[in-house]
Amino acid sequence: MYLEFYGLKEYPFNITPDPRFLYLAPHHKEAYDHLMYGINNRKGFIELTGEVGSGKTTLCRAVLSNLGKDVETALILNPCLSETQLLRAMLNDFGLEVRGRDRLAYIEKLNEFLLQKNREGTNVALVIDEAQDLSPQVMEQIRLLSNLETDQQKLIQIVLCGQPELKARLARPDLRQLRQRITVRYHIPPLSMEDTSMYIKHRLWVAGSDGSVVFDPGAVREVYRYSKGGPRLINAVCDNALLAGYVTQTRVIDVRCVRKAVEQLEGSK
Ligand SMILES: Nc1ncnc2c1ncn2[C@@H]1O[C@H](COP(=O)(O)OP(=O)(O)O)[C@@H](O)[C@H]1O
Ligand SMILES: [Mg+2]
């Protein structure tokens, strides 16, 4: 709606986890590095937590697309699966043919695949998003999968990505064995005000801005105050603030535009 007015090629503040817009603020860079390190050094289990909208899915997607050719990957987005469904989803994502509904046959197939990849010198990584929703039975199945290892190394690296509840989940006594296997952990904190400012600039730039639309310092402060540094809320409020600026035909987004945006968002709750 406001694209032409601001000279943008696309909407800068969509809430899809599109890695093209990735801005590696210092903590996001740390999270990214932890995932890369854990996968490439075959650390087995890796835990990534953060509040809703903190950037977990975006970071996982970025990591998956930047891993080398020597890593086979699978991404599970829907954690509300049974053990058998999870195994089937993994096999599908690794591009393996799946027949029947026999869980043991799935496990055998997966093991064969992992050993084959190991012989070829290929690492394998599985990312499970929203892992706080996995049932304890499925968590246990995942732990069993990781039992397969050679003397030297783990055959599959598993990233459990989820909201802070994931930590509480893993604190259950019956998941102790899984918890103890997690060797790399990172919790994504909110962006700082300075990060928020850079983040906004970066997304505008990726969307094709030539710099003629700006959020002035008061606007950035207000965005930060409202969002508390959470990227998803930053996007929601900035999108509405651009709309408010468009309505009044200004390319300098100020605190009034942001306040209007906040009113819009709060009103629609
Ligand atoms: N580092 C980042 N760079 C650019 N955009 C980001 C970043 N982190 C999060 N976002 C944006 O914020 C929104 C929420 O991110 P998402 O990855 O879906 O969060 P989560 O999975 O933690 O709920 C998405 O629109 C995403 O594009
Ligand atoms: Mg997500």
Side-chain angles (χ1 to χ4, degrees):
M1 183 166 174
Y2 52 64
L3 289 183
E4 205 180 329
F5 175 68
Y6 291 119
L8 297 168
K9 294 191 182 65
E10 58 186 314
Y11 286 100
F13 297 109
N14 269 337
I15 53 165
T16 49
D18 184 346
R20 277 189 313 122
F21 281 92
L22 187 68
Y23 170 68
L24 286 178
H27 288 120
H28 280 182
K29 169 87 168 72
E30 263 176 36
Y32 179 92
D33 289 347
H34 273 74
L35 294 187
M36 277 292 185
Y37 167 82
I39 293 171
N40 286 327
N41 293 288
R42 299 189 182 237
K43 290 296 180 186
F45 279 103
I46 301 154
E47 175 192 294
L48 177 69
T49 51
E51 296 292 343
V52 172
S54 60
K56 301 178 296 295
T57 304
T58 309
L59 282 167
C60 285
R61 284 189 187 277
V63 165
L64 286 175
S65 63
N66 291 340
L67 282 165
K69 289 222 169 6
D70 57 341
V71 189
E72 281 268 355
T73 62
L75 170 64
I76 306 284
L77 291 168
N78 171 10
C80 297
L81 301 169
S82 67
E83 293 106 295
T84 311
Q85 287 168 333
L86 174 90
L87 290 163
R88 190 160 54 220
M90 281 176 69
L91 289 165
N92 274 328
D93 226 43
F94 285 129
L96 298 167
E97 197 186 329
V98 266
R99 283 200 223 98
R101 297 174 174 278
D102 177 355
R103 175 146 62 109
L104 291 178
Y106 288 172
I107 293 175
E108 208 169 296
K109 182 131 199 177
L110 204 55
N111 285 349
E112 236 172 67
F113 169 77
L114 294 177
L115 288 168
Q116 165 74 27
K117 289 292 150 191
N118 187 53
R119 280 193 295 273
E120 294 168 6
T122 303
N123 189 1
V124 176
L126 168 70
V127 175
I128 303 179
D129 203 358
E130 304 290 356
Q132 77 282 347
D133 292 336
L134 292 171
S135 70
Q137 293 85 334
V138 172
M139 292 241 185
E140 179 60 8
Q141 176 65 69
I142 292 169
R143 183 182 70 82
L144 292 174
L145 284 181
S146 79
N147 270 349
L148 196 74
E149 55 193 342
T150 63
D151 291 342
Q152 299 87 30
Q153 52 193 5
K154 303 257 190 284
L155 300 187
I156 183 164
Q157 323 316 318
I158 301 175
V159 178
L160 297 174
C161 174
Q163 293 166 27
E165 295 87 290
L166 175 60
K167 282 190 187 290
R169 261 288 154 117
L170 291 168
R172 287 169 55 120
D174 54 337
L175 294 175
R176 189 184 67 242
Q177 293 201 60
L178 173 55
R179 183 173 70 249
Q180 288 172 347
R181 298 251 193 122
I182 301 175
T183 53
V184 179
R185 292 196 160 80
Y186 195 81
H187 179 79
I188 309 175
L191 300 183
S192 67
M193 186 146 87
E194 194 189 337
D195 296 338
T196 302
S197 168
M198 306 279 277
Y199 173 94
I200 294 171
K201 281 197 190 113
H202 181 82
R203 292 196 66 116
L204 285 168
W205 176 75
V206 175
S209 165
D210 63 3
S212 57
V213 44
V214 293
F215 280 66
D216 77 11
V220 172
R221 264 197 302 278
E222 193 64 12
V223 169
Y224 178 70
R225 200 189 56 77
Y226 177 73
S227 65
K228 301 191 175 65
R232 198 179 63 172
L233 280 180
I234 297 176
N235 282 12
V237 75
C238 286
D239 180 52
N240 270 291
L242 286 177
L243 187 58
Y246 170 70
V247 170
T248 53
Q249 296 284 295
T250 173
R251 292 185 181 83
V252 179
I253 307 302
D254 61 10
V255 68
R256 281 171 304 170
C257 297
V258 179
R259 289 210 177 117
K260 263 187 219 141
V262 170
E263 269 166 34
Q264 285 285 318
L265 291 173
E266 293 296 307
S268 65
K269 262 188 185 167

